[in-house]
Amino acid sequence: MSFLVLEGIQKRFGPAVAVEDFNLNAEKGEFVSFLGPSGCGKTTTLRMIAGFEVPSAGSISIDGTDVTNRPPNRRNVGMVFQSYALFPNMNVADNIGFGLRVRKRPKDQIRKRVAELLELINLPDKGGRYPYQLSGGQQQRVALARALAIEPEVLLLDEPLSALDAKIRVALRKEIRSIQRQLGITTVYVTHDQEEAMSLSDRVVVMSEGRVEQIGPPPEIYNFPATPFVASFVGTLNLLPATVVDGASGRVSVDGQEIVGSKSVKPGPVTVALRPEAVELGEAGGANRLRGTIEDVSFLGSIVRTRIRVANDASLSFDQFNDPALAPASIGDAVTVSFPTEATLILEGTASATAAIEEAIAEV
Amino acid sequence: MTNVGIGARAPGALESIQGSAQDRRRPVRFGRIWPWVVFIAGFVYFFLPLVATLEFSLRARPAGAAYTNVLKDPQFSGTLLYSFVVGVITIIVSIAIIVPTAYWVRLRLPRIRPLVEFVTLMPFVIPPVILVFGLIRSYSGAPFHLTNVSFGSDLLLVAAYTVLSFPYMYRAVDTGLRSIDVRTLTEAAQSMGAGWGRILLQVILPNLRVSLLSGAFLTLAIVIGEYTIASFLIGQKAFGPYLSHLGQNKSYEPAAVSLISFGLTWAAMGVIALLGRSAQGRRGGIQVAGGH
């Protein structure tokens, strides 16, 4: 029996479906991220776990207890908000101790626990400060300590780093993960930032338009995306429209140039999905080859990303490590690129579906 | 005729073009004079009557007799204390009604906000005399008989004043609620196990301090000076009717009472400004922190 179980969760707001048929079994101590563009239902699902929304259908249980209809203040769940939500009228120590005062713990026990938590979040001498005297990163660490003070069964974080600077974001991300590991607390983390989800999580739930697209560990999500949406949302992806030549052997044609996919496909319009890092300039990269002309070269520091046009409706980007000895390619050059068949993912779907995915990504 | 018309207009147009170079200096010059003119006009408008009242109140012989008479009069302190106590009770009742209402409307029923706003504005639409007659007609007869005992009348007075305080209290509280993230703070408190009572008392109310103070001050100012409702319900037990009675029977004392109550009002305002300033500083601090 898993620790946190969401079974057939649905949420409708009038005729609009916010979440449909969400299923998740999280183990004790697991770190699960909900990843998706805004409006995909990830926050709504988190709010249902917290008890701020009641599911239209389905059930939620924590440690074997059904909490579906339990009000939020009677669930033992800690929550961290994007806007910190510290109580402005209380100092840091009183904020952290709030949940313990609600539980009517003795005063000296509260004081001890607050000191412990201040130590944990590396702000041991800031107990007497008010929230407005702290930086954003410090406020969010206090919010984390406050959520942890009540020793919740599940910790919920709703885009906790979105309001912070890039540098603080990365530092705090590591801190959250190390505290979570230290305490072994089951955690659900909502984010629209795929890098955050990938680097933090044991498992990622990719969502789109209220549906779960894929659940799996980060490498699996990245390397074996289950749907075109996941493939394009996570990481950079080349999407090339193609037609099936021989479905059984996975042979498809990109505007007349034939390549072989990693598995067999059904006849019809398909999309070839390729990670930029799988493609190599020249013919040494694998069995599949595509010819094209260089359209753009962007220098990104440690890597150089080159885009080539392989057909009227298809272009392809690939990465090379930066090498000072290497002569830079010039725009308009005719080149051949190659890539292994295992890295050639063939997704069933029309070009218009692909366009819809790209639009969805652009919105993020 | 047309020529003259054009000719008459042309120099004007030319002037305005030439004048543009001088215009640049003009706002500066007027910028120095006009604020002073407005300030002095305002100062005279507000303070001349006060100075006149003071001068008049000091004509009583022996010197300062108007003030000593008033302060010695047990009815002065009695009515002032009565109206003050009624005011404080009104404020407490009003806060107890308005804060949960405004909070709930903001949190759960934002759609009915215009309706609630309209209801709270009713005292501006319905004259006090109608309100007091309505109260007397409704509660003086069976089964209440409230006006038969003085405590019943006091109760009605507080009820009427609570209604009068709604427009000020609701607006103040609603503005205060707008300045904090009510929904998220509520959810944060809920997730830590707090119930509604605790959320209202420990999370929402303390953050409305300045709003409550300004609403409370306006309410107190209205209650202490109110005449119509008090005179119908309880007569000269309250400060307003006492002041009016004094005005009809004495010459110098009403001026003295006016100045004393004016001084008390200013003192109350000063207290609020003082309490409010520390909270303002705090809010400014939040903005600075948010910029990091």
Side-chain angles (χ1 to χ4, degrees):
Chain A
M1 185 73 189
S2 297
F3 190 74
L4 171 67
V5 181
L6 280 74
E7 228 179 314
I9 294 293
Q10 267 183 45
K11 182 65 186 177
R12 282 184 292 273
F13 294 104
V17 180
V19 178
E20 55 181 283
D21 198 31
F22 191 108
N23 293 287
L24 176 72
N25 291 291
E27 300 306 322
K28 189 162 175 56
E30 198 175 358
F31 195 116
V32 180
S33 288
F34 294 175
L35 174 67
S38 52
C40 72
K42 57 190 193 296
T43 296
T44 307
T45 309
L46 189 84
R47 291 172 59 80
M48 286 191 277
I49 301 173
F52 301 135
E53 309 279 355
V54 179
S56 311
S59 71
I60 299 170
S61 70
I62 298 172
D63 200 11
T65 314
D66 188 317
V67 297
T68 314
N69 292 307
R70 207 180 264 190
N73 56 344
R74 291 187 44 234
R75 301 181 185 199
N76 198 13
V77 166
M79 178 110 176
V80 176
F81 301 84
Q82 184 181 342
S83 58
Y84 324 138
L86 295 177
F87 305 129
N89 55 306
M90 298 178 201
N91 65 23
V92 167
D94 287 343
N95 261 288
I96 297 175
F98 183 84
L100 300 171
R101 289 202 301 281
V102 172
R103 282 163 175 71
K104 301 202 162 52
R105 297 279 166 78
K107 272 215 176 94
D108 50 332
Q109 199 185 324
I110 295 177
R111 207 176 309 121
K112 211 176 127 226
R113 176 90 179 123
V114 168
E116 226 173 81
L117 284 157
L118 283 170
E119 202 69 49
L120 185 73
I121 58 166
N122 273 323
L123 296 172
D125 51 353
K126 296 280 196 288
R129 297 283 183 94
Y130 279 87
Y132 70 94
Q133 294 169 316
L134 303 177
S135 72
Q138 290 173 327
Q139 287 189 54
Q140 196 57 297
R141 279 192 276 170
V142 173
L144 178 67
R146 184 178 67 172
L148 291 171
I150 56 173
E151 291 172 19
E153 292 173 291
V154 178
L155 177 66
L156 306 174
L157 302 111
D158 186 6
E159 310 222 5
L161 307 177
S162 298
L164 300 169
D165 292 349
K167 262 191 183 159
I168 299 168
R169 205 149 58 209
V170 173
L172 196 49
R173 182 167 92 193
K174 285 180 190 153
E175 216 173 306
I176 288 176
R177 181 55 160 152
S178 96
I179 289 173
Q180 185 268 342
R181 277 218 178 95
Q182 209 176 317
L183 303 178
I185 186 168
T186 312
T187 302
V188 179
Y189 187 100
V190 162
T191 180
H192 63 260
D193 182 334
Q194 47 128 338
E195 194 193 313
E196 236 169 69
M198 290 295 185
S199 62
L200 280 171
S201 320
D202 294 317
R203 277 196 298 165
V204 178
V205 179
V206 184
M207 295 179 74
S208 157
E209 289 172 351
R211 284 186 317 273
V212 173
E213 297 273 334
Q214 189 174 1
I215 303 181
E220 189 185 307
I221 298 273
Y222 188 87
N223 296 325
F224 309 105
T227 66
F229 177 83
V230 178
S232 55
F233 189 77
V234 179
T236 312
L237 197 71
N238 291 300
L239 294 168
L240 312 169
T243 49
V244 177
V245 176
D246 178 18
S249 61
R251 280 194 300 154
V252 298
S253 152
V254 180
D255 197 33
Q257 306 192 54
E258 221 171 89
I259 54 173
V260 183
S262 55
K263 51 186 182 192
S264 61
V265 283
K266 287 187 208 122
V270 292
T271 305
V272 176
L274 268 174
R275 296 285 181 202
E277 64 268 27
V279 181
E280 223 175 90
L281 188 64
E283 302 197 339
N288 283 325
R289 305 221 160 116
L290 283 173
R291 288 176 310 279
T293 49
I294 294 179
E295 206 172 55
D296 188 29
V297 180
S298 22
F299 181 69
L300 304 173
S302 62
I303 61 167
V304 179
R305 179 160 293 176
T306 311
R307 191 171 78 238
I308 62 168
R309 184 150 291 278
V310 293
N312 281 333
D313 55 352
S315 65
L316 175 122
S317 293
F318 63 93
D319 294 342
Q320 287 170 284
F321 281 111
N322 177 33
D323 181 354
L326 208 69
S330 47
I331 291 166
D333 285 0
V335 292
T336 301
V337 293
S338 55
F339 43 91
T341 50
E342 312 84 72
T344 310
L345 207 66
I346 311 240
L347 307 165
E348 282 161 25
T350 58
S352 68
T354 312
I357 294 162
E358 269 164 5
E359 250 170 62
I361 295 162
E363 277 168 31
V364 183
Chain B
M1 285 300 277
T2 16
N3 278 344
V4 172
I6 292 165
R9 215 171 287 156
L14 207 67
E15 258 173 30
S16 74
I17 293 164
Q18 288 171 334
S20 63
Q22 293 174 337
D23 280 345
R24 244 177 269 158
R25 247 171 292 143
R26 209 181 271 167
V28 180
R29 228 177 27 212
F30 277 91
R32 273 186 206 148
I33 294 167
W34 275 109
W36 281 105
V37 170
V38 172
F39 176 74
I40 290 165
F43 190 82
V44 168
Y45 182 81
F46 284 115
F47 284 93
L48 199 61
L50 280 179
V51 174
T53 309
L54 178 69
E55 198 271 338
F56 182 73
S57 71
L58 293 176
R59 279 190 208 173
R61 289 289 168 264
Y67 291 89
T68 47
N69 285 348
V70 165
L71 294 175
K72 264 191 288 183
D73 184 359
Q75 236 199 319
F76 169 76
S77 50
T79 54
L80 190 60
L81 183 69
Y82 175 83
S83 285
F84 183 78
V85 170
V86 167
V88 169
I89 296 170
T90 301
I91 287 164
I92 293 167
V93 174
S94 186
I95 288 175
I97 294 172
I98 290 295
V99 171
T101 306
Y103 170 68
W104 200 250
V105 166
R106 197 151 262 282
L107 194 67
R108 289 289 152 88
L109 300 165
R111 268 181 308 169
I112 70 157
R113 203 157 141 245
L115 180 76
V116 174
E117 244 167 44
F118 176 74
V119 170
T120 61
L121 285 177
M122 289 313 273
F124 287 155
V125 183
I126 299 169
V129 75
I130 307 241
L131 177 65
V132 71
F133 267 106
L135 281 173
I136 292 172
R137 275 197 74 93
S138 308
Y139 294 106
S140 66
F144 304 105
H145 299 293
L146 275 181
T147 48
N148 289 2
V149 285
S150 82
F151 178 71
S153 298
D154 298 342
L155 218 62
L156 283 183
L157 192 67
V158 168
Y161 284 164
T162 303
V163 172
L164 285 194
S165 77
F166 280 172
Y168 309 99
M169 204 54 106
Y170 182 78
R171 244 132 240 282
V173 168
D174 197 49
T175 310
L177 286 173
R178 199 173 306 160
S179 72
I180 56 174
D181 187 351
V182 172
R183 172 178 291 270
T184 316
L185 288 182
T186 300
E187 288 177 353
Q190 276 182 314
S191 74
M192 279 173 279
W196 293 116
R198 187 184 287 269
I199 293 173
L200 267 173
L201 287 175
Q202 292 186 6
V203 177
I204 302 299
L205 264 185
N207 289 305
L208 293 177
R209 198 175 54 156
V210 180
S211 308
L212 292 178
L213 274 172
S214 72
F217 168 68
L218 284 167
T219 304
L220 194 66
I222 291 164
V223 169
I224 288 193
E226 207 282 333
Y227 171 76
T228 316
I229 294 174
S231 71
F232 274 105
L233 271 175
I234 50 153
Q236 281 183 44
K237 225 164 97 181
F239 191 63
Y242 164 74
L243 211 62
S244 153
H245 174 81
L246 203 68
Q248 284 161 13
N249 299 298
K250 303 267 172 116
S251 50
Y252 301 114
E253 281 78 358
V257 172
S258 299
L259 286 177
I260 292 170
S261 60
F262 197 79
L264 289 174
T265 308
W266 271 49
M269 259 170 87
V271 168
I272 287 176
L274 219 66
L275 289 171
R277 193 179 301 157
S278 58
Q280 277 292 306
R282 195 179 280 193
R283 203 155 287 155
I286 288 173
Q287 279 163 2
V288 170
H292 280 287

